[in-house]
Amino acid sequence: MRAVVVTRPGDASVLEVAEVRLAGPGAGELQIDVVAAGVNRADVSQREGRYPSPPGVPEWPGLEVSGIVSAIGPAAERTADDRGSTGPGAAGTGAPGTGAPGFAVGDHVCALLGGGGYAERVVVPVGQVLPVPRGVDLVDAAGLVEVVATVWSNVFMLAGLAAGETLLVHGGSSGIGTMAIQLGHALGARVAVTARSAAKLEACRELGADILIDYTHDDFVERVNDEAGGADVILDVVGGDYLDRNVRALATNGRIANIASMGGAEARLDLGALMRKRGTIRSTSLRARPAAEKAEIIQSVRENVWPLLESGAVRPLIAARFPLAEASAAHRLMESSDHIGKILLLV
Ligand SMILES: NC(=O)c1ccc[n+]([C@@H]2O[C@H](COP(=O)([O-])OP(=O)(O)OC[C@H]3O[C@@H](n4cnc5c(N)ncnc54)[C@H](OP(=O)(O)O)[C@@H]3O)[C@@H](O)[C@H]2O)c1
């Protein structure tokens, strides 16, 4: 089959389509014929040689896909009791006794991967697969799972954002940010965002953001303290000198959920300030989590976020779609940070 491979670590030009081999599904795995793959910042780091695929996962990039189930390994089929709904976009609701979702050949699905999504086929543990939500386009569903699972697990499962609280989202126009705004807004939080332009902030406002901060000339610490009395939860992708500023922007009992360090991995922290706020800082990587934890997150996403997608309260925001062979152009767009929302590759 064809996949986009990293020929050597480097800039976007090192991505090329090549023939690769992929084994069929083993126990508890599904094979999916890929329709579209989501592009993530982590893929850029992988291309540069800084973030290799974990062991047991194909070495070509791609953390999420949408597509059609084409083969099923042992113990991953849908059982007779599990056929509550059938057909495209309506996979089963759970294999009895296992808590794992069951699927059949032909189901329209989207999946969270450790790597290997820029390809015609993927093989993935069944616990990392979700049915395409009713009403969501099969292609656009490729941009859902990584951002939904990341935002849900960090902002809601770990940081416990509640209705009536304030959520500060850095990088509001990113793939991650556009989902965090929508989920925060849909679940009753007040949402503050940072971004670098008026056009990006306007897009954030349309998604439900209440406090719009252009970080190129506004101080987010001042704005969030003045307008919300501090943030209860901060979703941070910047790190570096934002760590200390995030602590100053926290409300009492506030929680910082750090998921990246685009502004630097080393930071100064005033522990006294954190203590006075009774604040918490957590940092996680979804890709590095064991399969069982990923399955738990996917199950929680299915229960809590899928209904919001099916009601239309939350939607995938797609900035651009490129043919698989133009993966280099997709990476250049991501590195420009000119996009708003998700970038997809069409397989
Ligand atoms: N830990 C995890 O499990 C996990 C999972 C998924 C994603 N992530 C991380 O989350 C981040 C967002 O991912 P994505 O795929 O959504 O990326 P993306 O769409 O490319 O967005 C990146 C955003 O970061 C902002 N940004 C970049 N450098 C910045 C800086 N120095 N200061 C302030 N803002 C900056 C840019 O916004 P402006 O144009 O407004 O500056 C841009 O919108 C990435 O770093 C990614 O690796 C982590």
Side-chain angles (χ1 to χ4, degrees):
M1 69 161 182
R2 292 181 320 138
V4 171
V5 301
V6 178
T7 51
R8 61 189 180 286
D11 66 19
S13 67
V14 304
L15 296 176
E16 281 178 19
V17 174
E19 278 296 317
V20 296
R21 293 175 67 84
L22 181 72
E29 292 180 328
L30 298 181
Q31 176 180 289
I32 300 168
D33 287 352
V34 177
V35 169
V39 176
N40 289 277
R41 273 282 162 160
D43 307 341
V44 172
S45 303
Q46 179 160 351
R47 191 201 72 211
E48 292 171 339
R50 295 185 287 116
Y51 196 40
S53 289
V57 169
E59 68 264 26
W60 49 94
L63 297 173
E64 57 183 343
V65 295
S66 61
I68 299 171
V69 176
S70 55
I72 298 185
E77 299 106 348
R78 185 157 58 196
T79 67
D81 288 348
D82 194 30
R83 292 176 181 272
S85 52
T86 56
T93 52
T98 64
F103 293 94
V105 169
D107 282 346
H108 288 192
V109 294
C110 42
L112 179 70
L113 310 169
Y118 292 11
E120 289 175 328
R121 280 198 311 281
V122 297
V123 167
V124 55
V126 68
Q128 291 165 219
V129 182
L130 285 156
V132 172
R134 284 179 187 81
V136 173
D137 180 72
L138 175 60
V139 167
D140 293 357
L144 275 179
V145 188
E146 173 73 17
V147 289
V148 170
T150 301
V151 172
W152 184 254
S153 60
N154 283 281
V155 173
F156 294 90
M157 294 173 75
L158 285 179
L161 181 72
E165 290 193 319
T166 298
L167 168 67
L168 169 60
V169 179
H170 291 303
S173 67
S174 64
I176 289 283
T178 52
M179 183 51 65
I181 295 167
Q182 294 186 76
L183 286 177
H185 176 71
L187 294 171
R190 187 171 185 205
V191 182
V193 292
T194 63
R196 72 170 142 113
S197 71
K200 285 189 164 202
L201 289 169
E202 174 56 20
C204 295
R205 191 191 60 75
E206 283 170 13
L207 292 171
D210 306 284
I211 301 174
L212 310 173
I213 305 166
D214 184 335
Y215 71 82
T216 63
H217 55 69
D218 269 4
D219 178 3
F220 72 81
V221 178
E222 259 176 42
R223 290 280 310 275
V224 171
N225 280 321
D226 288 353
E227 292 172 46
D232 299 290
V233 174
I234 300 178
L235 181 62
D236 181 45
V237 293
V238 180
D241 72 355
Y242 269 36
L243 178 63
D244 206 46
R245 297 171 70 196
N246 280 337
V247 171
R248 289 192 282 123
L250 272 187
T252 302
N253 293 316
R255 292 86 73 194
I256 297 172
N258 170 267
I259 57 164
S261 50
M262 286 190 287
E266 293 187 9
R268 176 188 170 278
L269 174 64
D270 178 347
L271 280 171
L274 185 66
M275 208 183 296
R276 283 190 294 279
K277 294 277 178 75
R278 300 193 288 283
T280 310
I281 303 169
R282 299 193 68 162
S283 187
T284 68
S285 161
L286 183 61
R287 192 188 204 185
R289 289 191 179 216
E293 282 185 28
K294 288 181 182 170
E296 197 182 313
I297 291 167
I298 291 297
Q299 186 60 26
S300 183
V301 157
R302 187 170 181 162
E303 286 164 13
N304 295 288
V305 182
W306 251 225
L308 297 173
L309 284 154
E310 295 192 336
S311 74
V314 171
R315 63 190 168 91
L317 185 71
I318 309 301
R321 301 169 183 83
F322 293 86
L324 186 67
E326 292 175 23
S328 298
H331 272 220
R332 286 190 194 100
L333 174 60
M334 175 153 277
E335 288 174 283
S336 74
S337 276
D338 286 340
H339 61 291
I340 296 174
K342 293 288 297 187
I343 300 169
L344 303 182
L345 297 176
L346 308 180
V347 177

Coordinates of all heavy atoms in Angstrom, one line a residue, residues 39-42 146-147 150 154 171 173-177 194-197 200 215 237-238 242 258-263 284-287 334 337 339 341-342, ligand 1:
V39 N -3.7 16.1 10.2 CA -2.3 16.5 10.4 C -2.3 17.2 11.7 O -3.1 18.0 12.1 CB -2.0 17.5 9.2 CG1 -0.5 18.0 9.4 CG2 -2.1 16.8 7.9
N40 N -1.2 16.8 12.5 CA -1.0 17.4 13.8 C 0.4 18.0 13.9 O 1.3 17.5 13.3 CB -1.3 16.3 14.9 CG -2.7 15.9 15.0 OD1 -3.5 16.6 15.7 ND2 -3.1 14.9 14.3
R41 N 0.5 18.9 14.9 CA 1.9 19.5 15.1 C 2.9 18.5 15.4 O 4.1 18.6 15.0 CB 1.8 20.5 16.3 CG 1.5 21.9 16.0 CD 2.6 22.7 15.4 NE 2.0 23.8 14.7 CZ 2.6 24.9 14.4 NH1 3.9 25.1 14.6 NH2 1.9 25.9 13.8
A42 N 2.5 17.4 16.1 CA 3.4 16.4 16.5 C 4.0 15.7 15.2 O 5.2 15.3 15.3 CB 2.7 15.3 17.3
E146 N -8.0 13.1 17.6 CA -6.8 13.5 18.4 C -7.2 14.8 19.2 O -6.8 14.8 20.4 CB -5.7 13.8 17.4 CG -4.5 14.4 18.0 CD -3.6 13.5 18.9 OE1 -3.7 12.3 18.8 OE2 -2.8 14.1 19.7
V147 N -7.9 15.7 18.6 CA -8.2 16.9 19.4 C -9.2 16.7 20.5 O -9.1 17.2 21.6 CB -8.6 18.1 18.5 CG1 -7.4 18.6 17.7 CG2 -9.7 17.8 17.6
T150 N -7.6 14.7 23.3 CA -6.6 15.5 24.1 C -7.4 16.5 24.9 O -7.1 16.7 26.1 CB -5.7 16.2 23.1 OG1 -5.0 15.3 22.3 CG2 -4.7 17.1 23.8
N154 N -7.6 16.2 29.1 CA -6.9 17.2 29.9 C -7.8 18.2 30.6 O -7.7 18.4 31.8 CB -5.9 17.9 29.0 CG -4.7 17.0 28.7 OD1 -3.8 16.9 29.6 ND2 -4.6 16.4 27.6
G171 N -3.4 29.6 22.1 CA -3.5 29.0 20.7 C -4.9 28.7 20.3 O -5.2 27.6 19.8
S173 N -6.9 29.4 18.0 CA -7.2 29.1 16.6 C -6.6 27.7 16.1 O -6.8 27.3 15.0 CB -6.7 30.2 15.6 OG -5.3 30.2 15.6
S174 N -5.8 27.1 16.9 CA -5.2 25.8 16.5 C -6.3 24.7 16.4 O -7.4 24.9 16.9 CB -4.2 25.4 17.6 OG -4.8 25.2 18.8
G175 N -5.8 23.5 15.9 CA -6.8 22.4 15.9 C -7.3 22.1 17.3 O -8.5 22.0 17.6
I176 N -6.3 22.1 18.3 CA -6.7 21.8 19.7 C -7.6 22.9 20.2 O -8.6 22.7 20.8 CB -5.4 21.7 20.5 CG1 -4.6 20.4 20.2 CG2 -5.7 21.9 22.0 CD1 -5.2 19.2 20.8
G177 N -7.2 24.2 19.9 CA -7.9 25.3 20.5 C -9.3 25.4 20.0 O -10.2 25.7 20.8
T194 N -6.2 33.1 23.6 CA -5.1 34.0 23.1 C -4.9 33.5 21.6 O -5.0 32.3 21.3 CB -3.8 33.8 23.9 OG1 -3.3 32.5 23.8 CG2 -4.0 34.2 25.3
A195 N -4.6 34.5 20.8 CA -4.2 34.2 19.4 C -3.4 35.5 18.9 O -3.5 36.5 19.5 CB -5.4 33.9 18.5
R196 N -2.8 35.3 17.7 CA -2.0 36.4 17.3 C -2.6 37.4 16.3 O -1.9 38.3 15.8 CB -0.7 35.9 16.7 CG -0.8 35.2 15.3 CD 0.5 34.9 14.7 NE 0.5 33.7 14.0 CZ 0.6 33.6 12.7 NH1 0.8 34.6 11.9 NH2 0.5 32.4 12.1
S197 N -3.9 37.3 15.9 CA -4.4 38.2 14.9 C -5.9 38.4 15.2 O -6.6 37.5 15.8 CB -4.2 37.7 13.5 OG -5.0 36.6 13.2
K200 N -8.0 35.6 13.6 CA -8.0 34.4 14.4 C -9.0 34.5 15.6 O -9.7 33.6 15.9 CB -6.6 34.0 14.8 CG -5.7 33.4 13.7 CD -4.4 32.9 14.3 CE -3.8 32.0 13.2 NZ -2.8 31.0 13.8
Y215 N -2.3 38.2 21.8 CA -1.1 38.2 22.7 C 0.0 39.0 22.1 O 1.0 39.2 22.8 CB -0.7 36.7 23.0 CG -0.1 36.0 21.8 CD1 1.3 36.1 21.5 CD2 -0.9 35.1 21.1 CE1 1.8 35.4 20.4 CE2 -0.3 34.4 20.0 CZ 1.0 34.6 19.7 OH 1.6 33.9 18.6
V237 N -0.3 25.3 25.5 CA 0.5 24.6 24.5 C 1.9 25.4 24.3 O 2.7 25.0 23.5 CB -0.2 24.6 23.1 CG1 -1.4 23.7 23.2 CG2 -0.5 26.0 22.6
V238 N 2.1 26.4 25.2 CA 3.3 27.2 24.9 C 4.4 26.9 25.9 O 5.6 26.8 25.5 CB 2.9 28.7 25.1 CG1 4.1 29.6 24.9 CG2 1.8 29.1 24.1
Y242 N 5.5 31.2 29.6 CA 4.0 31.2 29.9 C 3.8 30.5 31.3 O 2.7 30.7 31.9 CB 3.2 30.5 28.8 CG 2.7 31.4 27.7 CD1 3.5 32.5 27.3 CD2 1.5 31.2 27.1 CE1 3.1 33.3 26.3 CE2 1.1 32.0 26.1 CZ 1.8 33.1 25.7 OH 1.4 33.9 24.7
N258 N -1.0 21.4 30.9 CA 0.0 21.7 29.9 C 0.1 20.5 28.9 O 0.2 19.3 29.4 CB 1.4 22.0 30.5 CG 2.5 22.0 29.4 OD1 3.1 21.0 29.2 ND2 2.7 23.1 28.8
I259 N 0.1 20.8 27.6 CA 0.2 19.6 26.6 C 1.3 19.9 25.6 O 1.4 19.0 24.7 CB -1.2 19.4 25.9 CG1 -1.7 20.6 25.2 CG2 -2.2 18.9 26.9 CD1 -2.8 20.3 24.2
A260 N 2.0 21.0 25.7 CA 3.1 21.2 24.7 C 4.0 22.3 25.2 O 3.7 23.0 26.2 CB 2.5 21.6 23.3
S261 N 5.1 22.5 24.5 CA 6.1 23.5 24.9 C 6.6 24.2 23.7 O 7.8 24.3 23.5 CB 7.2 22.9 25.8 OG 7.7 21.7 25.1
M262 N 5.7 24.8 22.9 CA 6.2 25.5 21.7 C 7.0 26.7 22.0 O 7.7 27.2 21.1 CB 4.9 25.8 20.8 CG 4.4 24.6 20.1 SD 3.1 25.0 18.9 CE 1.8 25.5 20.0
G263 N 6.9 27.3 23.2 CA 7.7 28.4 23.6 C 8.9 28.1 24.4 O 9.6 28.9 24.9
T284 N 0.6 16.2 30.2 CA 0.4 14.8 29.7 C 0.7 14.7 28.2 O 0.5 15.8 27.5 CB -1.0 14.3 29.9 OG1 -1.9 15.0 29.0 CG2 -1.5 14.3 31.3
S285 N 1.0 13.6 27.7 CA 1.1 13.3 26.2 C 0.2 12.1 25.9 O 0.3 11.1 26.5 CB 2.6 12.9 25.9 OG 2.5 12.3 24.6
L286 N -0.8 12.4 25.1 CA -1.7 11.3 24.7 C -1.1 10.2 24.0 O -1.3 9.0 24.3 CB -2.8 11.9 23.8 CG -4.0 11.0 23.4 CD1 -4.7 10.5 24.6 CD2 -4.9 11.8 22.4
R287 N -0.1 10.5 23.1 CA 0.5 9.4 22.3 C 1.3 8.4 23.2 O 1.3 7.2 22.9 CB 1.5 10.1 21.3 CG 2.0 9.2 20.3 CD 3.1 9.8 19.5 NE 3.3 9.3 18.2 CZ 4.3 9.6 17.3 NH1 5.1 10.6 17.7 NH2 4.4 9.1 16.2
M334 N 0.8 24.1 8.1 CA 0.8 24.0 9.6 C 1.9 24.9 10.2 O 1.7 25.6 11.2 CB 0.9 22.6 10.0 CG 1.0 22.4 11.5 SD 0.4 20.8 12.1 CE -1.3 21.2 12.2
S337 N 1.4 28.5 10.6 CA 0.4 28.9 11.6 C -0.7 29.8 11.1 O -1.3 30.6 11.8 CB 1.0 29.5 12.9 OG 1.4 28.5 13.8
H339 N -3.3 28.7 9.4 CA -4.6 28.0 9.4 C -5.4 28.3 10.7 O -4.9 28.7 11.7 CB -4.3 26.5 9.3 CG -3.5 25.9 10.5 ND1 -2.2 26.3 10.7 CD2 -3.9 25.1 11.5 CE1 -1.8 25.6 11.8 NE2 -2.8 24.9 12.3
G341 N -8.1 26.0 12.7 CA -8.7 24.6 12.8 C -7.8 23.5 12.3 O -6.5 23.7 12.4
K342 N -8.4 22.5 11.7 CA -7.6 21.3 11.3 C -7.2 21.3 9.9 O -7.9 21.7 9.0 CB -8.5 20.0 11.6 CG -8.8 19.8 13.1 CD -7.6 19.3 13.9 CE -7.1 18.0 13.4 NZ -6.0 17.4 14.3
Ligands
LIG1 N1 0.2 16.4 24.8 C1 -0.6 16.0 24.0 O1 -1.2 14.9 24.2 C2 -1.0 16.7 22.7 C3 -1.9 16.3 21.8 C4 -2.3 17.0 20.7 C5 -1.6 18.2 20.5 N2 -0.6 18.6 21.3 C6 0.1 19.9 21.1 O2 -0.8 20.9 21.1 C7 -0.3 22.0 20.3 C8 -1.4 22.3 19.3 O3 -1.5 21.3 18.3 P1 -2.3 21.5 17.0 O4 -2.1 20.2 16.2 O5 -3.6 22.0 17.3 O6 -1.4 22.6 16.3 P2 -1.7 23.8 15.3 O7 -3.1 23.8 14.8 O8 -0.6 23.9 14.4 O9 -1.7 25.1 16.3 C9 -0.5 25.6 16.9 C10 -0.9 27.0 17.5 O10 0.0 27.4 18.5 C11 0.1 28.8 18.5 N3 1.5 29.1 18.8 C12 2.6 28.5 18.2 N4 3.7 29.0 18.8 C13 3.3 29.9 19.8 C14 4.0 30.6 20.8 N5 5.3 30.7 20.9 N6 3.2 31.4 21.6 C15 1.9 31.4 21.5 N7 1.2 30.7 20.6 C16 1.9 29.9 19.8 C17 -0.3 29.2 17.1 O11 -1.2 30.3 17.2 P3 -0.9 31.8 16.8 O12 -0.9 31.8 15.3 O13 -2.1 32.5 17.3 O14 0.4 32.1 17.4 C18 -1.0 28.0 16.5 O15 -2.4 28.3 16.3 C19 0.9 21.4 19.6 O16 2.1 21.9 20.2 C20 0.8 19.9 19.8 O17 2.0 19.3 19.8 C21 -0.3 17.9 22.4

